[in-house]
Amino acid sequence: MFDIEEELKKLPGRPGVYIMHDERDEIIYVGKAISLKNRVRQYFQSSRNKSVKIEQMVERIRRFEYIVTDSELEALVLECNLIKEHRPKYNTMLKDDKSYPFIKVTLGEEFPRVLFSRTMKKDKSKYFGPFTSAGAVKDTIDLIKKLYHLRSCSKSLPRDIGKERPCLYYHIGQCKAPCQGYIDKDEYRSYVNQALEFLGGNYGPVLHLLESQMQQAAEEMDFEKAIEYRELLNSVRQVAQRQKITQGDGEDKDVLALAADEGDAVVQVFFIRSGKMIGRDHFYLRVAPQDTKAAILNSFIKQFYAGTPFVPKELMLETEIEDHQIIESWLSEKRGQRVYLRVPKKGTKEKLVELAAENAAIVLRQDRERIKREEGRTIGAVHEIEKLLGIENAMRMEAYDISNTNGFESVGSMIVYEKGKPKRSDYRKFKIRTVQGPDDYASMEEVLTRRFSHGLKEREEMEQKNGAAELASFSRFPDLILMDGGRGQVNIALKVLGNLGLSIPVCGMVKDDFHRTRGLYYENEELEIDTHSEGFKLITRIQDEAHRFAIEYHKSLRGKQQIHSVLDDIPGIGPSRRKALMRAFKSLEAIREATAEELAAIPSMNARSAGQVYEFFHQKDGGEKI
C-alpha cells in the first residue's frame, strides 16, 4: 500500500522529474522540479491558489514516483521525453504530432544528390527547411532536377561508374549520367553549387538564364523548347513567391503566438529561414480554462521542440515564459549554438508576433465548429456508448476479429481506439497456432488468451522494476472490449478474462441477417442503439476496421503461402531462380503459360531448370494439366 504522507517525507531536495499515477496506475501528470521535496509537497498542501485542474488531479493521485537528475536541464529533457511518450491527462498537450520535411543535399558524396528527408542528421549533408508543405518540397526537388540535371539514384559513385546502363532520367534530359562518366566531378559540382544558391533564395541568375533561353528558342522557331523554358520559368517564379522576405538579418527564427478559449488553444508558428518566411503552421492544444498564455506557451515549446530535428537561432514570443533560461539552455544544447528566447516590444518583430497572434485567433474561431463536430464523432460518440452500457471512462476500446478461408491460415486482429480515434501503433496481428480448421470461437479464445497473458506478464515485469514509468504495448488494458458477434463471442471473452482474474467490460456487436450491426449485447441483454447516432457510427467504424485489419493480414499470409507452395516445391528452383521468374513474368499464371524456351531465356535459368518448371506446371498427378 502506497502511503503518500510517508513517501512525501522521503523526497530528496534535488532536481528531478515526478510522475503521478491514478487508481488504475496510469500516468496522469509529469512535471520537473529544481527541488523534488519542495515541489511535490506543494500538491498535497492546502492552498487557495490551486487551479481547478490541479485540485482535480490531486484528488485522483494514488501514488507518485520520481527520478533524480544532476541538473534542472536534465530534468527538463526527461520531462519532455516522458510527456511525449505517455501523453498524461493533466499535462497541457499537443493534440497532434507533426513532422516537417527538409531538402537534403548530400555534400558528403562525390556526386551529391538533392533528396526529400523527414529527419535532420549531424552528417556532411546540407539541409534546407523545415518546410510546412511536403508537396512544395517535392515540386522544388523536381524543379532542381530539371534545372541542374543532378542525379537521384542511390548508386555509390565513383565505385559503380559504368556498371549499369543510364536510367530514364538521363534519356529525358534530367540527369547528366555521372554513373557513366559522362560528366566529371568538377563540372558536376558546379551544378550542385548553382542548386545550393537556388535553394538559398538566389533566384536571379536562373530566372535571367531561362528568360534568355526562352527568347532565343522562340527566335529560332523552336516553339516546343520555348514552351519548356516558359514552364520552367513559371515554376521558378512560383517557388520564389512562396518565400516572402520578412527580415533583413538573414537569420533563422520561429515566431510563436497563441489564442485560447475555454478548453481549446491554438499556437501559430511562422517559420523564417535565412530571413525568408518559408511557411507557417498552427497547432491545437488541450488546455484547462485557467491556464495562462505563458503556461500554454511554455508547454508547447517543450513538446514541439523536443520532437523537431531543427531548432532556429531565435524564438520570438508574445509573452515571457516561466522556464525562460533553462529552455534557452536546452535549445542551445540541441542546436549546438546559442538560442535566444525574446519578447519583441517594438518595430517589425513586434508586428510579426501580433500577426501570428491574429492568425491564431482566426484559426481558433474558424475551427471551433469543426472541433466540436470532430469531438461529437469521437469523444461524444464514446460518451453515448458509455451511457448506453451504463459504464464510465471507456476511453480505450479494443476490438477483435478472426479471418480465414475454410480454416486455411487463420489469423486474428486486435485494433485499438482511444478517445474515439484509431491508435494504429497499438494494433496487433495474431497467427493462429493451436486451432485446426474454421473454428472462430477457439481461435478467438487463443487470441484473447495470448493478448492478456502477455499483458499480465509485462505488468509483472514492470512491478519487478519498481514500477518503471514506461508502459509496454500489451500492459495497457482496455476500458471496454468489443467483440465482432453476440452472445457466443462475448462468453468466450468473459471466459478468458475470468481464467486470468481480470474484470473488463465486454460488449458484443450484434449483426442482422444482412451482416449490419443492429445492436449491442451486454450483460446478457441485447441493447437497441439509434442507428443515426454518433455512437452507432463509431461502433460501425470499429467493426469495419477490425474486419479490414484481419482480412489484410490474412491476404498477405495467404499470398506468401501460395507463392511458396507452388514455386518453392519445384525441384532445382531456389530463392534466386524464384525471384528471377517472378520478376520476369510478374504472376504465377504467366509462369504457368510460358513455354520451356521462354523460361530458359530468363537470367539464372538454364534448359534443365526451365524444363523442371515447365514439367511441374503441365504434368502432375499422372500428367493431368493443372
Side-chain angles (χ1 to χ4, degrees):
M1 184 69 181
F2 190 89
D3 189 328
I4 288 180
E5 291 299 325
E6 286 299 315
E7 295 300 324
L8 286 173
K9 297 175 184 177
K10 301 175 185 177
L11 286 164
R14 293 181 56 187
V17 172
Y18 54 92
I19 304 156
M20 305 297 194
H21 294 255
D22 64 8
E23 67 278 356
R24 301 169 66 192
D25 209 34
E26 290 190 1
I27 295 172
I28 58 174
Y29 189 78
V30 173
K32 70 164 182 64
I34 300 175
S35 169
L36 288 165
K37 181 179 181 179
N38 296 339
R39 185 73 183 96
V40 178
R41 280 182 172 180
Q42 289 176 0
Y43 287 102
F44 301 96
Q45 293 171 350
S46 57
S47 171
R48 295 180 181 177
N49 297 325
K50 286 181 188 172
S51 67
V52 175
K53 181 175 82 170
I54 296 299
E55 287 181 350
Q56 291 176 348
M57 181 193 77
V58 173
E59 289 176 3
R60 288 167 171 75
I61 296 172
R62 293 297 176 268
R63 76 176 183 92
F64 62 81
E65 57 180 315
Y66 57 88
I67 302 170
V68 174
T69 60
D70 288 332
S71 67
E72 189 183 2
L73 178 58
E74 285 186 14
L76 174 69
V77 174
L78 182 57
E79 177 197 32
C80 292
N81 291 338
L82 291 174
I83 288 174
K84 186 176 181 181
E85 174 71 22
H86 300 293
R87 305 186 66 81
K89 179 178 180 180
Y90 287 98
N91 284 95
T92 297
M93 290 300 305
L94 270 169
K95 289 189 177 181
D96 54 355
D97 293 325
K98 301 178 183 179
S99 63
Y100 293 99
F102 294 82
I103 293 177
K104 174 181 179 179
V105 185
T106 60
L107 295 179
E109 298 176 336
E110 287 200 33
F111 293 89
R113 296 169 291 159
V114 179
L115 305 174
F116 179 99
S117 177
R118 290 228 178 239
T119 59
M120 185 177 179
K121 299 177 181 177
K122 290 184 177 180
D123 52 19
K124 294 180 181 179
S125 300
K126 186 173 181 62
Y127 292 84
F128 294 86
F131 298 91
T132 54
S133 169
V137 169
K138 291 173 182 175
D139 289 345
T140 302
I141 292 173
D142 287 341
L143 176 59
I144 286 171
K145 288 179 185 176
K146 293 174 183 176
L147 290 173
Y148 304 111
H149 315 296
L150 303 182
R151 72 186 185 102
S152 57
C153 65
S154 58
K155 292 176 181 149
S156 178
L157 302 182
R159 187 193 68 189
D160 294 338
I161 288 178
K163 288 189 176 180
E164 295 181 18
R165 290 178 295 178
C167 68
L168 177 64
Y169 286 111
Y170 167 73
H171 294 291
I172 63 175
Q174 290 188 21
C175 180
K176 294 287 187 180
C179 61
Q180 301 301 307
Y182 294 166
I183 181 173
D184 63 32
K185 184 170 68 173
D186 292 337
E187 186 183 355
Y188 187 89
R189 276 281 176 166
S190 71
Y191 287 109
V192 172
N193 291 335
Q194 291 176 51
L196 289 172
E197 280 194 29
F198 179 85
L199 289 169
N202 186 8
Y203 307 115
V206 71
L207 284 169
H208 178 73
L209 178 63
L210 290 173
E211 187 90 40
S212 62
Q213 287 176 330
M214 180 180 70
Q215 290 175 357
Q216 183 179 347
E219 289 171 2
E220 295 173 356
M221 311 293 280
D222 189 349
F223 297 117
E224 287 187 9
K225 203 70 177 173
I227 290 171
E228 183 181 328
Y229 287 132
R230 185 190 66 189
E231 290 177 351
L232 283 173
L233 195 60
N234 290 335
S235 297
V236 173
R237 285 171 177 159
Q238 194 172 6
V239 170
Q241 286 172 358
R242 289 195 192 111
Q243 300 190 342
K244 298 177 182 177
I245 297 291
T246 56
Q247 294 286 299
D249 54 20
E251 292 185 350
D252 297 334
K253 298 180 176 69
D254 283 355
V255 182
L256 291 81
L258 68 93
D261 182 13
E262 298 177 354
D264 296 318
V266 170
V267 174
Q268 181 83 207
V269 183
F270 290 166
F271 300 102
I272 299 172
R273 300 293 177 261
S274 301
K276 301 174 179 64
M277 192 171 101
I278 64 170
R280 63 176 185 169
D281 209 344
H282 58 267
F283 303 83
Y284 295 99
L285 291 97
R286 183 189 72 208
V287 299
Q290 303 87 354
D291 285 347
T292 64
K293 281 192 172 185
I296 296 169
L297 206 52
N298 188 314
S299 295
F300 171 80
I301 290 170
K302 289 190 284 189
Q303 291 176 57
F304 179 69
Y305 291 101
T308 183
F310 180 82
V311 178
K313 184 176 181 179
E314 181 180 349
L315 303 189
M316 292 163 52
L317 314 178
E318 66 172 323
T319 184
E320 293 282 355
I321 59 174
E322 180 183 351
D323 295 325
H324 182 102
Q325 291 183 336
I326 192 67
I327 288 178
E328 268 194 353
S329 299
W330 168 57
L331 293 176
S332 297
E333 191 173 282
K334 280 200 74 177
R335 177 179 169 84
Q337 294 177 342
R338 180 70 190 273
V339 174
Y340 300 89
L341 270 61
R342 295 192 171 112
V343 181
K345 301 297 184 184
K346 60 182 180 179
T348 307
K349 292 183 177 181
E350 184 189 25
K351 292 187 182 301
L352 268 175
V353 174
E354 289 176 356
L355 186 62
E358 184 181 341
N359 277 269
I362 291 170
V363 170
L364 184 62
R365 186 166 61 248
Q366 289 177 339
D367 285 6
R368 187 174 288 117
E369 287 302 316
R370 185 192 63 78
I371 291 169
K372 287 181 179 178
R373 289 195 302 271
E374 177 66 16
E375 287 185 346
R377 292 179 67 253
T378 55
I379 298 294
V382 171
H383 290 330
E384 286 182 17
I385 295 169
E386 290 172 346
K387 186 176 180 181
L388 181 66
L389 301 180
I391 62 177
E392 294 182 355
N393 196 33
M395 289 296 109
R396 181 182 172 97
M397 302 179 185
E398 290 182 5
Y400 298 83
D401 195 15
I402 301 295
S403 178
N404 62 66
T405 304
N406 296 324
F408 174 79
E409 289 286 7
S410 290
V411 299
S413 70
M414 164 186 148
I415 67 156
V416 179
Y417 269 59
E418 283 195 353
K419 298 179 181 178
K421 296 181 181 180
K423 189 178 183 185
R424 293 184 174 86
S425 61
D426 282 7
Y427 284 17
R428 292 295 180 269
K429 306 167 184 175
F430 301 84
K431 189 173 181 180
I432 304 303
R433 300 170 180 167
T434 62
V435 180
Q436 300 296 322
D439 190 338
D440 283 359
Y441 285 171
S443 298
M444 185 62 75
E445 184 173 356
E446 179 190 325
V447 167
L448 292 171
T449 301
R450 285 165 57 188
R451 183 263 179 270
F452 288 103
S453 296
H454 195 162
L456 289 170
K457 183 180 178 182
E458 286 184 352
R459 288 191 168 194
E460 185 179 340
E461 290 172 352
M462 287 168 55
E463 290 175 3
Q464 291 172 355
K465 295 177 182 176
N466 297 320
E470 185 175 354
L471 281 173
S473 58
F474 275 127
S475 61
R476 294 199 64 191
F477 286 173
D479 305 309
L480 176 66
I481 296 173
L482 294 167
M483 305 301 296
D484 188 36
R487 182 192 300 267
Q489 292 279 18
V490 170
N491 287 340
I492 289 293
L494 292 173
K495 174 186 172 184
V496 170
L497 295 174
N499 291 340
L500 297 174
L502 296 173
S503 178
I504 301 172
V506 182
C507 177
M509 298 179 282
V510 185
K511 294 182 281 290
D512 60 19
D513 295 337
F514 299 98
H515 207 71
R516 295 177 301 202
T517 303
R518 70 165 188 252
L520 300 177
Y521 181 80
Y522 182 64
E523 293 187 338
N524 296 316
E525 182 181 357
E526 186 174 323
L527 306 173
E528 290 187 10
I529 183 169
D530 180 1
T531 56
H532 301 289
S533 68
E534 292 295 343
F536 175 81
K537 293 174 184 175
L538 176 59
I539 290 289
T540 303
R541 289 197 298 273
I542 292 173
Q543 191 175 41
D544 291 344
E545 180 70 352
H547 190 58
R548 178 202 66 77
F549 193 55
I551 289 289
E552 185 180 88
Y553 181 42
H554 177 247
K555 282 181 177 178
S556 70
L557 289 180
R558 188 175 61 196
K560 291 176 184 177
Q561 180 65 24
Q562 286 172 341
I563 291 171
H564 169 83
S565 63
V566 176
L567 295 184
D568 278 10
D569 290 344
I570 305 175
I573 303 301
S576 296
R577 284 175 172 162
R578 185 183 75 235
K579 287 178 183 176
L581 285 167
M582 290 302 294
R583 194 180 297 117
F585 291 100
K586 309 301 182 187
S587 71
L588 292 172
E589 186 62 30
I591 297 172
R592 182 183 290 112
E593 297 298 325
T595 65
E597 290 76 14
E598 290 171 333
L599 293 167
I602 303 304
S604 81
M605 297 288 286
N606 53 37
R608 183 171 177 273
S609 59
Q612 288 173 318
V613 174
Y614 187 85
E615 290 298 319
F616 181 85
F617 279 110
H618 292 269
Q619 291 189 15
K620 194 170 184 177
D621 296 333
E624 183 180 348
K625 189 173 180 179
I626 58 172

